[in-house]
Amino acid sequence: MGNSHGYRRSGLQFGTPAYHMMYGGRRSLPSLSNRSSGQVEDAKKKFLHFVFEVDFDFMPDTAKLKLQIFDHMTKDARVTVRDYVKSMGATSVFRANQQLQRELHASNRIFQGNCTITKATKEYILEHKVEDVRELFVIEELALCTFFCFAGVPHCDASGWILDDIVETEFESITDIAQYLTRKATVWKKPKHCTAYTEFTGRIPKNLQQQLQQRNAEVVHGRQKQVATPFAIAKKKKQVAKKKEAKVMKKKVLDDQDDEDDDDED
């Protein structure tokens, strides 16, 4: 097939049998530039903050929240971020903002991204993507370990309740727990209930306010019950897994003993 210059294109064309035999059926994904890589890392942090700074307590499983959290980034970065968000149990959509483009007198289109999370997104990350939110567990482990040490508990017994594999680069010197947590709260903000966002459009349970007030009152008066915090969920699952493993080992030992008794009788 000719082109505007009157000659045929040379070389193998993508999609032809000869191209597939020579190079394979799929184009390889381009490697990210330094600019795109920086944008992707920034978007990942924004996404994780969004997930863990939104509270879905007492909401139905269908509850969800959509916010515009991603700024303009390159096409390669947008594709990478979309795949990352999808792997975390959420969705994201990037659209060109023509009004912003006119206001900034930009020659190229400016994209902004919305992200939608559900009540199950946080639980999915805690179950399948724990390493992505390791920083949260490190903060909780260091604060708890310091509290126990200040109370006179030996360090060997005070550590490892939440994380037992903290590396040297993750350690921080803590002289005041309240000050440490306050400083971290400027990075990881206190969760805000999803219904407090103007962007929330779902159904609000009738007794939600009463339940939230009761929960807050329990916290203020130091009578908070064992709630399913992200760390409590992860710790509980770890304990359940250890119990199951212990039961399996115990059953195996008993079966081996029964086999030995049968051999003795023979």
Side-chain angles (χ1 to χ4, degrees):
M1 182 177 179
N3 54 23
S4 59
H5 297 284
Y7 60 85
R8 295 176 61 86
R9 294 177 179 173
S10 60
L12 300 178
Q13 297 299 309
F14 179 80
T16 62
Y19 184 97
H20 283 252
M21 291 177 63
M22 180 67 70
Y23 301 109
R26 299 182 63 184
R27 288 190 176 101
S28 59
L29 295 176
S31 58
L32 294 178
S33 64
N34 291 336
R35 179 189 177 193
S36 296
S37 297
Q39 292 172 343
V40 169
E41 291 304 314
D42 182 60
K44 287 181 178 180
K45 292 179 181 178
K46 289 181 178 179
F47 169 74
L48 292 175
H49 279 269
F50 177 35
V51 173
F52 283 88
E53 291 172 3
V54 174
D55 178 14
F56 281 96
D57 275 1
F58 312 117
M59 295 297 291
D61 294 338
T62 55
K64 60 183 179 180
L65 179 65
K66 180 172 76 172
L67 289 182
Q68 188 267 306
I69 63 172
F70 300 128
D71 298 323
H72 179 77
M73 58 186 76
T74 65
K75 181 179 180 180
D76 290 341
R78 294 198 300 270
V79 172
T80 304
V81 170
R82 276 199 300 263
D83 292 342
Y84 171 79
V85 171
K86 184 177 180 181
S87 72
M88 292 293 195
T91 58
S92 61
V93 177
F94 286 88
R95 300 188 186 282
N97 189 329
Q98 296 181 352
Q99 181 179 353
L100 183 60
Q101 180 181 350
R102 288 193 295 268
E103 291 176 356
L104 297 178
H105 304 288
S107 56
N108 296 325
R109 291 188 298 174
I110 297 177
F111 286 85
Q112 291 181 316
N114 294 324
C115 181
T116 303
I117 61 175
T118 66
K119 184 177 181 179
T121 302
K122 185 183 298 183
E123 296 178 2
Y124 179 85
I125 294 175
L126 289 171
E127 185 173 353
H128 302 283
K129 306 286 185 178
V130 177
E131 284 301 317
D132 288 73
V133 289
R134 181 179 174 85
E135 182 183 356
L136 284 172
F137 289 89
V138 170
I139 294 172
E140 192 77 2
E141 169 64 23
L142 292 178
L144 183 62
C145 179
T146 304
F147 173 79
F148 285 152
C149 288
F150 285 171
V153 178
H155 184 270
C156 58
D157 297 326
S159 61
W161 288 89
I162 297 173
L163 281 182
D164 56 3
D165 60 344
I166 293 184
V167 297
E168 185 177 354
T169 55
E170 294 175 321
F171 279 105
E172 293 187 50
S173 177
I174 304 175
T175 57
D176 188 316
I177 299 177
Q179 186 180 32
Y180 169 75
L181 293 177
T182 301
R183 178 163 51 86
K184 291 298 182 181
T186 61
V187 181
W188 292 93
K189 298 179 177 60
K190 181 180 178 180
K192 179 180 176 182
H193 202 269
C194 60
T195 56
Y197 289 86
T198 56
E199 293 86 352
F200 180 78
T201 57
R203 182 179 64 87
I204 301 177
K206 293 181 179 179
N207 60 343
L208 176 63
Q209 290 302 321
Q210 181 181 355
Q211 290 176 312
L212 291 176
Q213 289 174 2
Q214 182 179 356
R215 184 194 65 178
N216 295 337
E218 290 173 350
V219 173
V220 170
H221 293 90
R223 296 182 289 105
Q224 185 179 22
K225 300 177 181 178
Q226 185 67 26
V227 295
T229 63
F231 311 105
I233 293 173
K235 185 177 180 181
K236 183 65 176 177
K237 289 181 178 178
K238 191 174 181 180
Q239 291 173 343
V240 171
K242 286 185 177 180
K243 287 182 179 180
K244 288 182 178 180
E245 184 179 355
K247 286 182 179 180
V248 172
M249 293 298 296
K250 184 177 180 180
K251 186 176 183 301
K252 184 177 179 181
V253 171
L254 292 175
D255 291 341
D256 292 341
Q257 289 178 350
D258 291 340
D259 292 340
E260 292 177 0
D261 292 340
D262 292 340
D263 293 339
D264 292 340
E265 291 176 1
D266 295 340

